[in-house]
Amino acid sequence: MIAIGGTIGTGLFLGTGKSLATGGPASMLICYGLIGFIVYVTLLLLGEMSTQYPVAGSFNAYATRFFSPSYGFALSWNYWFNDAVSVASDLTAAQLVLQFWTPWHSWVISLLFWVFLVGVNSANVKAYGELEYWLASLKVATILVFIIVGILVNVGVNNQHHYIGGHNWHLPGATHGFVGGFGGFANVFVTASFAYGGTESLGITAGETENPSKNMPKVVKLVFWRILFFYILSVLLIGLNVPFDYPNLSNKSTTTSPFTIVFSQIGSTVAASFMNTVILTSVLSAGNHALFAGTRVLYGLSVARQGPRVFTWTTAAGIPLPALLATASVSLLCFGSSFVGSGKLWGWLQNIVGVSNQIAWFSIGLASWRFRRAWVRQGRPLSELKFCAGWTWGWGPPFVVITVAALIIIQGYSSVIPVFTAVDFVSLYIEIPVMLVMYLAWMLIRRPDPNADAAAAAKLPSSAPGDISLESDPASPPVVVARRKWWTSDLVDVDTVDLARDEYAEQHVDKVDDARVEARARGKWRWAWKVYYWVV
């Protein structure tokens, strides 16, 4: 349940309001659909690698292993920053949600929620898991109810007692459902990317489960159905039922959730308040998820000696408290709403997180491209892959890399034309030069050698069984791998990268699971099981 609903949050519940106001219903549907397809292909690529190599670090580790250690370093810090800013974004979103009931002091609300999230994450992992499970369950159930209510509202069960249909696609100012021209259309991409953020965590989890060769296809199918029902269907119903010019849908000071608007259209303030309450819990859930993940990323960076050692300290309960406080401190950006307005600040934070998500997807495509090239160059057959997304072979990685790169470039169109808006432009592109600086700094200063393991292995002659290895012979000289020259690239050599290290070996429990599936396929209820396995 956490995997299904854990990443559903402000991007879907509030971000759709900004998307609708900025680009109109047609732009929103197209952009969310395109981003959904990109995410689906990206998850297939990540699933392929995480099933073969279920290691800690996921796509950060794969970027380091198959592309460049320096790039992996920069990507890891970018992902931590993504989580930290996501907490600030969620706390700012909480201010917007509460404005449905009262325009009370926004900074007080953020402070209370900030203390709550830090307290939960300071307790223990079990407290985090319990909270996430129930909040995720509530979100999934509410979206299912929303889909039913949205259909009823559209066909006439609303406070106006009239059929809506596609009327809102043809309002004045909306040309066939498009608003704001190309700039409005392009700007929706970053909002949609923000909404889909965190979906890559499903691939991370799947790669570390038992019997990944069987469970990975299930997880990917789960992502497909989740994108189809929770995102595309919700976006379609929002575009049909909510006009793009709805008052306070998205402006400098406030943003109203389209989900709340649809529930209010049935003529019940109680239903609208219930929906708004669920959105508030989802905001806290998303913030809780981001704070937990960001804390662990920072802790992992420090353990790997890619961050300050102080963040490796943990409490007796195993909580990395310094890493938690450092991650939580970034979320204090939410207090800036007192100066620029909650709606405006949330838009900027949303841009930063959205682009960070795109960088993660771009990096997954890049790592997969190199991984597949290494697999072919070293003569490994596709049949040896634990999970092979065969229909994406040949075009999947370049498709993800090229399309995501194109999106990053064009989505800032409205910040440059017709008038250059410095703050919007910076929020959309600040992470790119920061990543570049971190990449170059690590490559030039630390000079990691990505091919050190392969070089060392090449210098060690193989010994027959029973022979004394050179490592145990004090007379043999130690193997020394030359340090990489500072002016040379640290790009991984796909011809020599070790593809056998960390490969998943089938366990006994995997065979038992396979036997159970085969027995079900031959049993009395085989047709029901076939439908079940087709769906999940």
Side-chain angles (χ1 to χ4, degrees), residues 20 23-29 168-171 173-180 244:
L20 183 60
S27 296
M28 184 170 64
L29 184 61
N168 290 325
W169 282 52
H170 304 284
L171 295 174
T175 306
H176 303 294
F178 293 95
V179 175
F244 77 93

Side-chain angles (χ1 to χ4, degrees), residues 173-254:
T175 306
H176 303 294
F178 293 95
V179 175
F182 179 76
F185 172 78
N187 194 254
V188 177
F189 281 121
V190 70
T191 310
S193 298
F194 175 80
Y196 282 108
T199 48
E200 65 277 356
S201 64
L202 294 180
I204 297 171
T205 304
E208 298 176 353
T209 58
E210 295 179 347
N211 202 355
S213 61
K214 294 295 186 297
N215 288 329
M216 191 60 229
K218 296 180 184 179
V219 173
V220 173
K221 287 180 181 179
L222 183 66
V223 173
F224 172 78
W225 292 116
R226 173 186 163 188
I227 290 173
L228 181 62
F229 286 108
F230 292 164
Y231 286 89
I232 305 302
L233 192 52
S234 295
V235 164
L236 174 62
L237 291 172
I238 288 170
L240 289 174
N241 293 324
V242 182
F244 77 93
D245 56 356
Y246 188 89
N248 294 327
L249 183 61
S250 180
N251 56 44
K252 178 180 178 180
S253 59
T254 186

Side-chain angles (χ1 to χ4, degrees), residues 157-502:
V157 185
N158 52 62
N159 51 11
Q160 300 295 324
H161 304 292
H162 72 90
Y163 174 75
I164 299 176
H167 173 73
N168 290 325
W169 282 52
H170 304 284
L171 295 174
T175 306
H176 303 294
F178 293 95
V179 175
F182 179 76
F185 172 78
N187 194 254
V188 177
F189 281 121
V190 70
T191 310
S193 298
F194 175 80
Y196 282 108
T199 48
E200 65 277 356
S201 64
L202 294 180
I204 297 171
T205 304
E208 298 176 353
T209 58
E210 295 179 347
N211 202 355
S213 61
K214 294 295 186 297
N215 288 329
M216 191 60 229
K218 296 180 184 179
V219 173
V220 173
K221 287 180 181 179
L222 183 66
V223 173
F224 172 78
W225 292 116
R226 173 186 163 188
I227 290 173
L228 181 62
F229 286 108
F230 292 164
Y231 286 89
I232 305 302
L233 192 52
S234 295
V235 164
L236 174 62
L237 291 172
I238 288 170
L240 289 174
N241 293 324
V242 182
F244 77 93
D245 56 356
Y246 188 89
N248 294 327
L249 183 61
S250 180
N251 56 44
K252 178 180 178 180
S253 59
T254 186
T255 295
T256 305
S257 170
F259 286 77
T260 302
I261 295 172
V262 170
F263 269 73
S264 67
Q265 287 176 327
I266 63 177
S268 172
T269 56
V270 175
S273 293
F274 169 76
M275 185 68 238
N276 214 54
T277 302
V278 173
I279 294 173
L280 182 61
T281 62
S282 75
V283 168
L284 294 177
S285 171
N288 187 40
H289 177 83
L291 184 57
F292 179 87
T295 299
R296 269 63 190 175
V297 170
L298 183 55
Y299 172 78
L301 282 168
S302 301
V303 170
R305 297 185 180 274
Q306 294 183 342
R309 298 290 293 171
V310 66
F311 297 130
T312 61
W313 186 85
T314 61
T315 65
I319 305 298
L321 191 58
L324 170 63
L325 295 177
T327 305
S329 65
V330 178
S331 62
L332 296 178
L333 286 170
C334 64
F335 294 115
S337 61
S338 301
F339 304 99
V340 299
S342 299
K344 192 67 173 178
L345 177 63
W346 185 67
W348 293 339
L349 296 175
Q350 189 182 50
N351 289 344
I352 294 174
V353 176
V355 173
S356 181
N357 292 334
Q358 292 170 343
I359 291 174
W361 303 334
F362 174 88
S363 302
I364 292 171
L366 200 60
S368 176
W369 202 341
R370 301 283 295 178
F371 161 67
R372 289 184 171 186
R373 187 178 180 187
W375 196 267
V376 173
R377 291 282 289 270
Q378 296 188 29
R380 296 284 296 271
L382 299 185
S383 59
E384 292 184 3
L385 288 170
K386 303 296 187 295
F387 167 65
C388 178
W391 67 279
T392 67
W393 200 271
W395 66 270
F399 167 78
V400 171
V401 170
I402 294 172
T403 53
V404 173
L407 291 179
I408 292 175
I409 294 172
I410 68 173
Q411 66 194 8
Y413 179 88
S414 61
S415 67
V416 178
I417 298 175
V419 179
F420 179 74
T421 308
V423 178
D424 291 343
F425 183 84
V426 170
S427 67
L428 285 166
Y429 295 107
I430 184 62
E431 288 186 81
I432 297 175
V434 170
M435 267 203 71
L436 182 61
V437 169
M438 296 185 72
Y439 167 71
L440 293 175
W442 190 258
M443 185 175 68
L444 297 177
I445 297 174
R446 295 302 298 267
R447 291 186 282 161
D449 188 349
N451 306 304
D453 293 340
K459 291 186 178 183
L460 283 173
S462 59
S463 56
D467 290 349
I468 299 176
S469 67
L470 290 177
E471 292 183 2
S472 62
D473 184 0
S476 62
V479 177
V480 179
V481 179
R483 198 177 182 192
R484 184 180 57 81
K485 302 298 183 182
W486 69 268
W487 63 83
T488 59
S489 169
D490 70 341
L491 195 67
V492 174
D493 185 357
V494 294
D495 292 319
T496 60
V497 62
D498 187 1
L499 294 177
R501 178 167 55 91
D502 299 322

Side-chain angles (χ1 to χ4, degrees), residues 93-110:
Q95 302 172 13
L96 299 172
V97 173
L98 283 171
Q99 287 177 8
F100 178 80
W101 294 300
T102 176
W104 201 43
H105 299 294
S106 57
W107 68 269
V108 177
I109 296 169
S110 292

Side-chain angles (χ1 to χ4, degrees), residues 58-135:
S58 187
F59 61 87
N60 299 324
Y62 304 136
T64 298
R65 180 170 182 172
F66 298 113
F67 181 61
S68 160
S70 298
Y71 185 86
F73 165 79
L75 180 63
S76 297
W77 276 101
N78 174 77
Y79 203 61
W80 169 77
F81 186 67
N82 175 16
D83 287 327
V85 176
S86 293
V87 181
S89 173
D90 292 327
L91 291 174
T92 306
Q95 302 172 13
L96 299 172
V97 173
L98 283 171
Q99 287 177 8
F100 178 80
W101 294 300
T102 176
W104 201 43
H105 299 294
S106 57
W107 68 269
V108 177
I109 296 169
S110 292
L111 179 61
L112 293 175
F113 286 148
W114 184 86
V115 172
F116 172 75
L117 292 180
V118 173
V120 169
N121 282 269
S122 299
N124 52 58
V125 176
K126 184 178 180 180
Y128 162 81
E130 286 291 331
L131 180 63
E132 276 300 294
Y133 177 82
W134 291 110
L135 291 179

